[in-house]
């Protein structure tokens, strides 16, 4: 018993001492001036991160009761609460800004008991006005890569952070490598917003933006296209949800149908990218959502870069390592060519456009699919899938764009910007300054060959119906665009025209200066009555247009290529009708003037028309250029200078049958392509008039003889016309009964490829 009392007394003394020590320690910790520890903390942290670290404000330690989740005796163990103000993290010496990050205030609590198991449990951390300044130099150095010491063994300590809250923060970027400057403002949303709600809001906002770019009519058509495509997308999403191998939350469509991940942070941005203004806003998931690499992280952005607007809503899996991306993507802009400054992808000049589709990608492999998208380009629709594959070390030297595109209704005028043939007003809307002289017809704007080597391409495009205007429909279009190391090929570029085909192969080598081009063209079985469906006199015509061309040229614009072209051009027209009104409908200004001079407004029956022109360094010279009609045979000679766009032609009509009082004389066609001038050669008229006067002095009836035209023979077939030999050196060109041209026997002239039938 005495021993027991002695033991209890000793235990009491020990307990009292322990309580006294704890009480003393508590008093010490509570009353200790923790600001005295700031230098030590700064030194230790600086050594750990390899950057200057400092707590320039107050450092305090307080105690609080545990959270309500704690029960029983654990509620009696207070948790320390650490508060620090004016925290700075320094930059490397080369950086322009002294601080990488600043923080006005940080405070958090630590659970005590888990520390015994080497677990650091922080229920919540609060940040006040955090600011981060990111910098990258031209040589690639950046301030967000820390030289952390390598640890040989894994740490025994584990961190668990349940919640992060912060007041307004900012992230500034200065990137000299990409010529970018931006400031991002960040704040919490107050309450989580489901991804489905954000998807709906963004869809409405993007449709409104589309209406401003392509017009309300085109935007309404786009909305209908999106609705039509959404059925297939919904079916695809439903199939993905039902598949056990898929993740429903990873699809924006599935996420929109369900509650999905929620947004917790809002952001806005202002700045410049490559001298182009940037502005926009968006939303992100909570900061702690970044910790779980298996759960999709919600992202949303609506950003305007210059005149291009990009909006996305969807998810990013494992954002810390930039893994899988799955978003709904909307694009609007005044020209697809302007996307080059944003994405580095070379696209042609286009009218204003708007698209909507799904973008999925593996960011580590740099493979992205803009799949099942639909859009409007000018007054045309555009649908399909495009795949972008980034360059790889030891693999592809350049990025690659591939895909299949379809337009169900393509306005021919929407193709004009691709070759710089649109109006100055259209170019001004795209922010382009037209270099086209008012007196020139051929486009002088140069191809942007400096961009061609930035990406390879393999894209197929089908225009199911092309409309030029109601009088001259072009039925369809197909082309296969291939670009490899700066060499652009269209193999083929094929139009369906008037019941026949107009096919060409275009090869432009932009890897050298000036650009070198090769062109082959084949027109087959173009029906005259379908070429001019609204011309009544043409509906009885049974003839066709057939032709071939093979040319080689150098130059960086369509006009420059025409000015240096060499090769041969052939065409045959059979069994048609000719009139001034028909030439007006076809837009042939020169022919219109000539026909009016010769025939006035009446219709003229064509037996055959044939042209075989040699191109030599931009000058077209006829081997055969003739037209056989019911009452005359017309022969054309002279030159067409594509370099200066000038005409110097002489048209010689030869009347069939005996015609009294004919004053028909050779015609001249001079001037430019845009302002042609046609008239009657004066000298033959003078000579005929002089002869009439002389004969009239002898016999009044003899004065009629100079104005009588003897018959030049019967009508010629195309075979006969093409086999005429106006020059000894001319090799005759054969034509079949249908008017198809056979390949010439001699080797190609001036290096041009042999023309195929």
């Amino acid at each position: 018993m005495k021993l027991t009392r002695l033991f209890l007394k000793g235990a009491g003394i020990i307990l009292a001492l322990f309580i006294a020590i704890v009480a003393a320690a508590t008093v010490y910790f509570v009353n200790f001036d923790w600001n005295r520890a700031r230098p030590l903390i700064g030194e230790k942290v600086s050594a750990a991160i390899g950057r200057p670290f400092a707590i320039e404000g107050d450092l305090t330690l307080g105690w609080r009761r545990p959270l309500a989740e704690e029960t029983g005796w654990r509620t009696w163990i207070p948790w320390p609460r650490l508060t620090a103000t004016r925290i700075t993290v320094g930059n490397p010496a080369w950086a322009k800004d002294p601080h990488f990050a600043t923080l006005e205030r940080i405070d958090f609590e630590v659970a005590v008991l888990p520390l015994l198991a080497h677990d650091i449990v922080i229920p919540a951390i609060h940040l006040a006005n955090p600011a981060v300044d990111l910098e990258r130099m031209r040589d690639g150095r950046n301030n967000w890569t820390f030289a952390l010491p390598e640890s040989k063994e894994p740490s025994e300590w584990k961190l668990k952070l349940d919640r992060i809250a912060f007041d307004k923060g900012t992230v500034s970027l200065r990137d000299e490598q990409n010529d970018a400057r931006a400031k991002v403002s960040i704040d919490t949303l107050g309450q989580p917003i489901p991804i489905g709600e954000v998807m709906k809001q963004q869809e409405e906002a993007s449709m409104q933006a589309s209406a401003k770019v392509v017009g309300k009519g085109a935007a309404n058509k786009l909305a209908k296209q999106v609705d039509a495509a959404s059925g297939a997308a919904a079916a695809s999403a439903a199939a993905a949800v039902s598949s056990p191998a898929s993740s429903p939350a990873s699809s924006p469509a599935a996420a929109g149908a369900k509650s999905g991940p929620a947004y917790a942070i809002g952001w806005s941005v202002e700045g410049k990218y490559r001298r182009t203004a940037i502005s926009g806003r968006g939303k992100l998931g909570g900061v702690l959502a970044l910790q779980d690499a298996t759960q999709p992280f919600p992202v949303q952005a609506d950003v305007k870069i210059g005149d291009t607007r990009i909006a996305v809503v969807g998810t990013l899996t494992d954002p810390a390592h930039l893994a899988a991306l799955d978003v709904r993507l909307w694009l609007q802009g005044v020209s697809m060519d302007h996307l080059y400054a944003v994405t580095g992808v070379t696209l042609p000049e286009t009218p204003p456009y708007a698209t909507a589709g799904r973008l999925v990608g593996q960011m580590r492999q740099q493979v992205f699919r803009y799949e099942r998208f639909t859009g409007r380009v000018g007054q045309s629709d555009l649908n399909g899938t495009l795949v972008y594959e980034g360059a790889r070390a030891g693999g592809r030297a350049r990025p690659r764009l591939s895909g299949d595109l379809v337009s169900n209704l393509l306005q021919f005028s929407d193709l004009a910007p691709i070759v710089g043939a649109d109006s100055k007003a259209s170019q001004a809307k795209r922010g382009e300054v037209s270099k086209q002289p008012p007196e020139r017809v051929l486009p002088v704007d140069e191809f942007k060959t400096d961009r061609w080597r930035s990406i390879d391409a393999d894209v197929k495009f089908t225009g199911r119906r092309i409309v030029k205007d109601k009088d001259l429909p072009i039925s369809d279009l197909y082309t296969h665009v291939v670009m490899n190391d700066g060499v652009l090929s269209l193999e083929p570029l094929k139009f369906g025209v008037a019941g026949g085909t107009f096919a060409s192969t275009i090869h432009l080598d932009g890897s050298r200066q000036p650009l070198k081009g090769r062109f082959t063209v084949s027109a087959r079985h173009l029906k005259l009555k379908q070429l001019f469906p609204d011309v009544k006199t043409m509906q009885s015509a049974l003839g066709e247009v057939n032709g071939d061309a093979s040319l080689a040229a150098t130059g960086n614009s369509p006009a420059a290529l025409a000015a240096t072209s060499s090769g041969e051009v052939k065409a045959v027209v059979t069994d048609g009708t000719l009139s001034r009104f028909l030439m007006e409908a076809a837009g042939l200004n020169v022919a219109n003037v000539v026909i009016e001079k010769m025939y006035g407004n009446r219709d003229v029956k064509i037996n055959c028309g044939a042209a075989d022109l040699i191109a030599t360094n931009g000058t077209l010279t006829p081997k055969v250029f003739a037209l056989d009609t019911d009452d005359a045979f017309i022969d054309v000679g002279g030159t067409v200078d594509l370099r200066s766009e000038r005409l110097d032609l002489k048209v010689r009509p030869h009347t069939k049958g005996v015609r009294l009082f004919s004053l028909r004389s050779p015609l001249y066609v001079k001037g430019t392509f845009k302002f042609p001038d046609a008239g009657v050669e004066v000298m033959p008229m003078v000579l005929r008039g002089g002869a009439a006067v002389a004969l009239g002095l002898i016999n009044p009836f003899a004065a009629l003889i100079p104005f009588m035209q003897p018959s030049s023979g019967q009508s010629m077939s195309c075979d006969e016309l093409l086999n005429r030999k106006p020059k000894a050196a001319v090799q005759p060109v054969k034509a079949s009964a249908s008017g198809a041209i056979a390949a010439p026997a001699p080797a190609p002239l001036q290096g041009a490829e042999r023309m195929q039938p």
Side-chain angles (χ1 to χ4, degrees), residues 26 136 138 230 334 336 368 409 417 489 501 559 674 709 718:
T26 301
R136 179 160 60 180
R138 293 186 183 276
S230 63
V334 297
M336 289 187 180
F368 301 90
L409 181 60
S489 301
T501 60
K674 196 163 188 178
Q709 291 289 327
C718 281

Side-chain angles (χ1 to χ4, degrees), residues 693-716:
V693 172
L695 290 174
L697 294 175
I698 301 172
N699 185 337
F701 292 100
L704 297 176
I705 295 176
F707 300 106
M708 297 176 63
Q709 291 289 327
S711 173
S712 61
Q714 301 298 318
S715 297
M716 288 189 181

Side-chain angles (χ1 to χ4, degrees), residues 385-508:
T385 294
L386 289 173
V387 179
Y388 174 88
E389 302 169 86
R392 293 181 182 176
R396 288 186 299 272
R398 292 168 300 280
R400 183 173 181 266
L401 183 69
S402 60
D404 289 274
L405 303 176
V406 174
S407 176
N408 296 305
L409 181 60
L410 175 62
Q411 291 287 342
F412 195 78
S413 59
D414 291 335
L415 298 175
I418 296 177
V419 294
D422 55 335
S423 66
K424 290 186 177 181
S426 175
Q427 292 177 334
K429 288 181 179 179
R430 301 197 309 269
E432 303 289 334
V433 178
S434 175
K435 299 178 182 178
Q436 189 71 20
E439 71 279 1
R440 300 297 294 267
V441 173
L442 298 175
V444 302
D445 286 336
E446 295 188 351
F447 302 112
K448 297 176 181 178
T449 57
D450 56 321
R451 300 181 179 181
W452 291 8
R453 301 189 70 176
S454 65
I455 191 171
D456 292 340
D458 187 341
V459 178
K460 297 176 182 178
F461 175 79
T462 301
R464 291 178 176 165
R465 184 189 173 201
I466 301 180
V467 177
K468 182 178 185 292
D469 56 45
K470 65 179 181 180
D471 298 326
L472 185 58
I474 302 174
S475 58
D476 55 75
L477 161 67
Y478 172 80
T479 188
H480 184 190
V481 180
V482 177
M483 185 181 292
N484 185 30
D485 196 16
V487 179
L488 174 63
S489 301
L490 280 72
E491 303 174 346
L493 173 60
K494 185 176 181 180
F495 292 88
V497 182
T501 60
F502 186 91
S504 63
T505 298
I506 300 174
H507 182 89
L508 302 175

